[in-house]
Amino acid sequence: MKHDPEEDDLTRYLLGELDETAAREVESRLQRDPALGEQLRVLQATLEWLKADRDRLTAPTLCAAQRAALQAAARGEHRPRRRPARRLFVLVAAVLVLGGLLALRNALLVPPSAASIEVEPIAAAPAAAAEPAPVPVPFDPVNAAFRFYDASSPPSAETFLRTVEELRTVLSVADPAAAQQVPGDAFVGFMETTRAAPEAAPAPVETSTTPSPSVLRRSRGVPETESRVALPEEAVTWIADFSVELAQGAARLDDDSLAVEIPSDPALRVRALLEQLARRPGETPQMMFFRFWGDNGSVETSQDPLSTFSLDVDTASYTLARQYLARGVLPDKAAVRTEEFVNYFRHDLAPPPTGRSLALHAELAASPFASPGTQLLQVGIKAREVPDAERPPVSLTFVIDVSGSMKQENRLGLVQNALRLLVDQLEERDTIGIVTFRDQAAAVLQPHSLAHRPVVRAAIDSLQADGSTNAGDGLLMGYQMALAQFREGAQNRVILCSDGVANTGVTDVDGILGQVQKYREAEIFLHTVGVGMGNHNDALLEQLADRGDGFCVYVDRIEEARRVLVDRLRSTLITVARDAKVQVSFDPAQVARYRLLGYENRALRDQDFRDDRVDAGEVGAGHEVIALYEIVPREGAEGPVATVRARYRDIAAQEVVEQEVVVRAEQAAPGFAAAPPRFRLSACVAEFAELLRRSVWAREGSIAAVLEQAEPLVHELPGDADVLEFVALLHQAERLLVAPEEPDEFTRSIEAIKRNRHLRARIEDLAATGIREELEELERENARLEQRLQELLDRRPPER
Amino acid sequence: MNERDALARFVGGDAAAFDELVERHERPLMRFATHLLGCPESAQDVVQECFLRLLRQLPRHRPELPLSSWLFRVCRNLCRDHQRKESRMEERHSRVAIPEITPPEPALFEHEEAADQVRRLLGELPPDEREVLLLKVHEGRSYREIAAVTGLTLHAVGKHMHRGLAHLSSRLRAAGLLTYDPRKNQP
């Protein structure tokens, strides 16, 4: 830009920085020169934008712990130390791996957090000497994370202290100096204060302590009987972040870990480990594979020719991962669900013929990512479109989280804007009601017809966030409102908008899920809209929607809200098929093995396919659902190789419908490149998800390989911004997804044992004769490996 | 509260006076740092460090500058250090993050999309231009004060200010945002 010093004066003039004479000078120039006037107008408009931005922004503040640290420093008590978080975390992770603590499989189920730690520890207030000595429990980050995270209610002071203590114990072995730095002292002070003045503290909330099944699965005998002294909110957030980061980090270092309690005696530890790696009674090789590596295993068609699963139209996982990647952070691998990634995209499947609700498609082509000879089978389902004129009226009850956490990142603002978009879409025959909840639920808007748009808008505008989260209460009131206004012939829906953190009221997930199911039976379905990142409880929202026969979406920005609530409103609100399931029946003579990509938590028992009482997936108008299989055809396969069946309750026809399509070997596209672009897109997206999951199947894969296939699609599918964005995400992920380090011998041995045991199980099941020798050879090799493992452990430094 | 009094009281041993100083300057500094760094957590670190430096300085603090200008100057320098360190350490942080900021008052600012874009564009300006604009528009500092904070000459402040505004306006125009007034046109 050419620089003209006089132009600076224009800006000075605008900003009131000129003295009287100079200002007059500018004004006379403005009169003479209309172009200058235009320039001024532009600068002024820009300035207005800046001011608007300024006004939009409520200044963030230091966190309470930092302020406390400064106060302490001002009083010359203690100098705040550098935040030890990162180093500490690496160290702890290292200790965990060193100790062979493999209890991290389950950590993968912990919802991710923004993973930042923001607390400067201040030195200890006099340590809680009066406290009963904490029970020495080996530190287990999974449990620690869970105690604070999943239980959702603020941890009690005792629980917290114990965790800090545990952390110190583990660290003191490896690095006594670092152990001194265990953050958390900052909160001891808070807790002392809280305890000293119980009447000043918020009334202790007696929460239900019935843990969710997941908690039960994870916690190992740590009684939660302490009195509930509420921790300050910062403390809770911080603990959650810290624990989750810890668990995630350790999980990253030790990808293929198992839940196992490690005794201190090395010999016992090896035995415990090996026991975990043994085949369990009744366990199929497939189940074993899932237990070992967290992915669907490849199945011998001769052993199990049927693959059955419930449809899943959710897309939250992709949106959430996108949000993470945009911030330069890899999503937690447990939050990556392959099927949700694939289903996020358009597939341009042909709609069903008139009279049918779903169309069933199958396509076949060579897989570019799996080993040679592997083919990719794409099962596609497209639901019929319902034109606006034909859609039944909708009766929506929004249950909106307005707790304090919704203030962060403008979560509530996003929900409000989404609602405003929706209000514009709905018609007079539709109704909307709003319930909000924080520590208590409140009916903000009784159901109103959209004829009263201004009333609805005013209610939306009035929402403000603050307080704690009582999702249970909110849902209950929402359901009551929906029930009171239940309209026959309309689509009655409750829509929960939340970051998913229930920290007061019914915090036990089962309780909430039970409610949801009850109302589902009354034909009031539940959708969930997730917002926010920090403590977004993705798993819970997905479960709720699943139980409520609705959909779970995650909205990370206004475009996504528009996509879900405007572009796909009808798919979202009009269900055309309920309890939709798919069963693929492979011909063992034609297909040696197959593997379903994703749908890990949607698997159904084969015999349930025709059991219409079994709850399965819901499909909305116009929805497209994709499932991908990798199959290994036998040499010279020809003719029908598989039959794909879909079974669902057709809402329009009021009956259960079963459709099928036969897949023939000849159908296979001659090479991947010859497959249709949308097919190739699905393959790329699925591989991307597998890479982000660090799936054992994608170990040989790379983002670069996906990019090679995906980049041409940008030109082949012009006008699809999702494809463009996908490629951008791939680039982003490529920078972040570094190759795992070469595992040490300990890890390699365990891995080898896992593989052998799994192989053994497969061979056992093949139950063929004449393989006895192979089995014995495997046994011998495992014995050697076990011996070696013992030696390796003996050489490690002893631990407490 | 008189700021000079507070300083004097603190040096005289009244620790609570320092809390008042923190209270007074925390938000403007946080706002500034969050904008510069695009990340509230980093901003918290930087602002905390500002106050710590003030503490270390205080017994000897000679008011060559008003306290707030001094704090802004330290804050700016720390932000620059932080960014240099970050870019050295982690290439991945080269992202231009939209700062996570507590939400606006409802209905004050309807179109988040556009607003986020403005903030992103602002974040893309060269640091000198961004700093002077933020100090002027967000913090209401005069050119002279800005010169003291940034160490630039008055002339340079004027140049950067104008260039920043002009750069931003051409970007806003490219993004189609200059055609309406952010306050009046509701979507």
Side-chain angles (χ1 to χ4, degrees):
Chain A
M1 183 185 303
K2 200 173 84 58
H3 187 66
D4 171 5
E6 286 196 339
E7 284 188 346
D8 296 353
D9 278 351
L10 206 55
T11 297
R12 281 202 181 84
Y13 173 75
L14 193 61
L15 294 170
E17 281 277 336
L18 290 180
D19 60 30
E20 195 65 14
T21 333
R24 284 229 196 84
E25 163 64 19
V26 170
E27 277 160 13
S28 75
R29 274 173 63 209
L30 281 169
Q31 277 175 354
R32 288 196 307 271
D33 182 356
L36 204 63
E38 173 58 20
Q39 206 183 341
L40 183 70
R41 204 193 61 77
V42 167
L43 292 176
Q44 176 140 32
T46 308
L47 190 63
E48 280 310 310
W49 268 116
L50 280 175
K51 286 181 182 163
D53 179 48
R54 173 195 65 198
D55 295 346
R56 185 168 79 114
L57 185 152
T58 315
T61 58
L62 295 172
C63 70
Q66 285 179 311
R67 227 174 277 136
L70 284 172
Q71 281 171 5
R75 285 150 186 79
E77 289 162 10
H78 298 278
R79 287 270 174 248
R81 287 183 289 250
R82 288 306 310 155
R83 66 155 89 172
R86 297 271 162 197
R87 186 175 146 238
L88 179 69
F89 138 67
V90 170
L91 198 85
V92 171
V95 170
L96 294 175
V97 172
L98 196 82
L101 176 58
L102 300 175
L104 295 159
R105 161 87 266 131
N106 288 337
L108 309 179
L109 300 170
V110 177
S113 82
S116 67
I117 294 176
E118 46 203 67
V119 175
E120 287 284 340
I122 50 172
E131 293 306 314
V135 192
V137 183
F139 180 74
D140 170 353
V142 180
N143 264 334
F146 245 81
R147 237 174 277 154
F148 301 118
Y149 205 85
D150 200 35
S152 311
S153 53
S156 68
E158 282 77 4
T159 310
F160 177 63
L161 280 177
R162 195 165 57 219
T163 306
V164 170
E165 214 36 63
E166 288 164 3
L167 191 52
R168 282 219 187 85
T169 312
V170 175
L171 275 177
S172 58
V173 180
D175 182 348
Q180 288 306 309
Q181 290 197 346
V182 171
D185 290 340
F187 300 115
V188 175
F190 278 118
M191 287 180 297
E192 293 304 324
T193 331
T194 326
R195 202 147 336 132
E199 65 281 359
V205 185
E206 217 23 84
T207 55
S208 158
T209 48
T210 315
S212 69
S214 49
V215 174
L216 280 177
R217 206 166 54 238
R218 271 155 246 214
S219 65
R220 285 192 285 275
V222 184
E224 289 279 346
T225 50
E226 320 88 334
S227 60
R228 296 240 156 228
V229 180
L231 279 182
E233 199 180 336
E234 290 90 339
V236 177
T237 315
W238 173 80
I239 295 163
D241 282 354
F242 180 74
S243 319
V244 172
E245 175 160 347
L246 197 67
Q248 279 180 349
R252 226 170 284 138
L253 280 169
D254 185 6
D255 263 0
D256 304 310
S257 43
L258 294 167
V260 59
E261 186 104 47
I262 307 289
S264 53
D265 173 4
L268 288 179
R269 288 171 54 197
V270 169
R271 197 172 312 151
L273 253 175
L274 293 173
E275 234 156 67
Q276 286 293 318
L277 298 177
R279 187 174 188 177
R280 294 174 179 171
E283 192 173 45
T284 64
Q286 163 90 337
M287 286 152 73
M288 211 168 157
F289 192 95
F290 186 76
R291 183 163 63 89
F292 283 179
W293 291 291
D295 302 306
N296 275 343
S298 179
V299 182
E300 322 279 344
T301 314
S302 59
Q303 289 304 298
D304 180 7
L306 294 177
S307 164
T308 313
F309 61 94
S310 151
L311 286 189
D312 178 5
V313 297
D314 295 346
T315 57
S317 171
Y318 181 78
T319 331
L320 196 62
R322 172 175 73 192
Q323 170 93 325
Y324 269 91
L325 289 170
R327 296 182 184 205
V329 181
L330 280 177
D332 180 31
K333 56 186 210 171
V336 177
R337 290 183 290 274
T338 306
E339 72 278 13
E340 297 193 15
F341 269 53
V342 177
N343 285 334
Y344 177 86
F345 291 85
R346 265 177 51 197
H347 300 283
D348 295 343
L349 299 171
T354 322
R356 280 276 167 90
S357 276
L358 300 185
L360 189 55
H361 302 275
E363 288 179 84
L364 197 60
S367 163
F369 304 118
S371 49
T374 308
Q375 293 186 331
L376 208 54
L377 166 65
Q378 173 179 295
V379 173
I381 285 174
K382 164 86 177 182
R384 74 186 161 88
E385 299 280 0
V386 176
D388 253 339
E390 285 174 30
R391 79 161 169 83
V394 294
S395 177
L396 306 179
T397 307
F398 280 87
V399 177
I400 301 174
D401 184 347
V402 291
S403 64
S405 61
M406 291 290 285
K407 248 195 249 181
Q408 294 168 32
E409 303 164 326
N410 198 12
R411 293 171 189 177
L412 181 60
L414 191 57
V415 170
Q416 286 173 302
N417 282 330
L419 281 179
R420 290 176 186 126
L421 288 175
L422 179 73
V423 165
D424 291 339
Q425 290 296 308
L426 296 179
E427 300 169 12
E428 293 189 2
R429 59 200 175 110
D430 304 317
T431 64
I432 224 175
I434 299 178
V435 168
T436 60
F437 63 93
R438 38 174 73 93
D439 37 349
Q440 284 183 335
V444 170
L445 178 71
Q446 287 300 331
H448 271 67
S449 147
L450 269 287
H452 306 290
R453 240 171 261 267
V455 181
V456 177
R457 286 216 181 91
I460 295 170
D461 291 344
S462 74
L463 305 178
Q464 285 191 350
D466 155 45
S468 62
T469 316
N470 191 340
D473 246 25
L475 265 181
L476 199 61
M477 182 179 282
Y479 274 129
Q480 283 159 355
M481 184 185 271
L483 197 61
Q485 296 286 329
F486 190 87
R487 290 163 68 196
E488 282 299 335
Q491 300 272 335
N492 294 275
R493 297 280 191 273
V494 170
I495 302 175
L496 173 68
C497 306
S498 174
D499 48 18
V501 184
N503 62 15
T504 40
V506 190
T507 50
D508 87 285
V509 176
D510 287 342
I512 299 184
L513 288 176
Q515 295 284 347
V516 172
Q517 182 152 2
K518 193 176 104 194
Y519 285 95
R520 179 186 84 196
E521 282 151 20
E523 300 273 308
I524 299 172
F525 303 150
L526 175 70
H527 300 302
T528 55
V529 178
V531 286
M533 283 285 286
N535 42 7
H536 176 65
N537 196 336
D538 178 44
L540 176 59
L541 289 179
E542 197 212 350
Q543 267 183 319
L544 283 170
D546 189 29
R547 192 66 68 92
D549 274 5
F551 315 122
C552 167
V553 292
Y554 170 71
V555 170
D556 55 349
R557 52 191 189 198
I558 195 70
E559 291 90 337
E560 188 61 26
R562 180 169 289 136
R563 196 181 125 96
V564 176
L565 294 174
V566 180
D567 304 344
R568 301 199 173 175
L569 178 68
R570 276 165 286 161
S571 330
T572 311
L573 295 181
I574 302 166
T575 310
V576 301
R578 284 187 68 190
D579 293 333
K581 313 163 212 180
V582 167
Q583 184 165 71
V584 183
S585 159
F586 293 97
D587 179 354
Q590 306 280 354
V591 178
R593 318 170 55 74
Y594 66 87
R595 173 171 84 90
L596 174 60
L597 282 70
Y599 290 93
E600 272 87 359
N601 61 1
R602 300 277 168 165
L604 292 177
R605 294 183 307 170
D606 294 333
Q607 64 267 36
D608 285 346
F609 181 64
R610 296 218 165 93
D611 183 343
D612 298 324
R613 291 164 306 178
V614 173
D615 181 39
E618 275 54 57
V619 187
H623 261 142
E624 293 181 308
V625 192
I626 294 288
L628 292 165
Y629 283 91
E630 272 180 8
I631 64 173
V632 181
R634 290 194 193 280
E635 198 76 32
E638 59 174 5
V641 293
T643 308
V644 181
R645 296 190 178 85
R647 191 179 171 92
Y648 55 94
R649 188 178 302 278
D650 188 317
I651 300 285
Q654 296 281 331
E655 60 178 9
V656 174
V657 177
E658 190 175 310
Q659 282 167 240
E660 67 173 52
V661 58
V662 173
V663 188
R664 306 180 63 87
E666 301 79 57
Q667 216 177 304
F672 184 68
R678 292 281 171 195
F679 179 100
R680 282 180 281 143
L681 178 64
S682 301
C684 290
V685 173
E687 176 71 3
F688 178 46
E690 298 274 291
L691 285 165
L692 288 180
R693 285 172 64 87
R694 265 72 109 219
S695 157
V696 67
W697 296 104
R699 278 187 182 164
E700 307 292 314
S702 70
I703 296 277
V706 184
L707 271 171
E708 195 184 318
Q709 302 293 345
E711 273 182 330
L713 292 170
V714 173
H715 306 290
E716 292 178 59
L717 299 167
D720 188 341
D722 292 339
V723 179
L724 203 62
E725 183 183 58
F726 171 57
V727 170
L729 276 191
L730 282 170
H731 282 290
Q732 180 78 6
E734 191 175 27
R735 282 196 292 275
L736 301 174
L737 204 59
V738 288
E741 277 176 30
E742 196 57 35
D744 64 8
E745 192 179 352
F746 182 82
T747 315
R748 284 203 309 274
S749 305
I750 297 224
E751 196 57 16
I753 292 176
K754 277 193 208 168
R755 278 198 301 272
N756 284 346
R757 292 253 167 114
H758 179 252
L759 186 60
R760 192 201 143 102
R762 278 174 53 197
I763 296 175
E764 274 172 359
D765 278 18
L766 284 171
T769 49
I771 52 168
R772 185 70 41 206
E773 258 173 50
E774 257 181 83
L775 272 181
E776 280 165 9
E777 175 50 35
L778 266 177
E779 279 297 275
R780 280 194 295 275
E781 194 189 337
N782 262 1
R784 277 197 301 276
L785 283 163
E786 284 163 22
Q787 174 77 32
R788 182 71 189 130
L789 202 59
Q790 184 68 63
E791 289 166 19
L792 284 168
L793 265 176
D794 288 346
R795 271 195 267 131
R796 290 186 178 224
E799 286 164 72
R800 307 180 29 184
Chain B
M1 178 192 74
N2 183 321
E3 186 162 286
R4 209 171 309 161
D5 282 359
L7 279 175
R9 267 167 45 220
F10 176 73
V11 176
D14 176 2
F18 188 75
D19 304 344
E20 290 169 28
L21 290 173
V22 172
E23 176 78 15
R24 184 183 183 121
H25 295 289
E26 171 187 356
R27 280 169 198 272
L29 289 172
M30 276 298 294
R31 192 162 49 207
F32 185 56
T34 306
H35 254 295
L36 289 185
L37 299 175
C39 164
E41 289 82 17
S42 308
Q44 286 179 330
D45 281 357
V46 161
V47 172
Q48 189 188 19
E49 182 60 27
C50 284
F51 287 118
L52 289 175
R53 293 209 177 174
L54 177 64
L55 268 181
R56 287 198 285 272
Q57 281 275 321
L58 259 184
R60 287 163 285 120
H61 184 73
R62 292 286 166 270
E64 33 142 356
L65 280 178
L67 181 62
S68 75
S69 294
W70 185 88
L71 282 169
F72 267 108
R73 185 203 272 183
V74 173
C75 183
R76 167 190 177 271
N77 293 340
L78 286 173
C79 284
R80 292 209 160 194
D81 288 350
H82 185 92
Q83 279 168 327
R84 264 197 294 276
K85 219 184 305 168
E86 282 240 312
S87 63
R88 257 205 319 270
M89 271 169 23
E90 295 179 65
E91 196 190 339
R92 71 183 203 197
H93 282 292
S94 63
R95 65 192 193 246
V96 183
I98 302 166
E100 294 163 30
I101 295 208
T102 37
E105 290 301 304
L108 174 71
F109 202 65
E110 293 273 346
H111 29 199
E112 296 298 322
E113 261 176 301
D116 284 346
Q117 209 170 351
V118 171
R119 186 166 297 157
R120 194 159 45 235
L121 294 175
L122 180 62
E124 285 168 5
L125 291 181
D128 281 335
E129 296 174 9
R130 185 159 39 126
E131 281 167 12
V132 297
L133 279 177
L134 287 173
L135 287 167
K136 181 76 207 172
V137 180
H138 285 227
E139 307 305 331
R141 304 270 146 184
S142 69
Y143 275 36
R144 194 168 297 282
E145 285 169 316
I146 295 171
V149 168
T150 56
L152 296 168
T153 62
L154 256 185
H155 176 74
V157 171
K159 198 169 76 179
H160 287 312
M161 192 77 74
H162 175 71
R163 282 188 171 173
L165 210 51
H167 275 139
L168 189 60
S169 66
S170 56
R171 284 166 202 220
L172 288 176
R173 194 200 300 276
L177 291 175
L178 266 195
T179 45
Y180 56 103
D181 181 326
R183 280 161 195 274
K184 288 174 193 142
N185 296 359
Q186 302 296 341

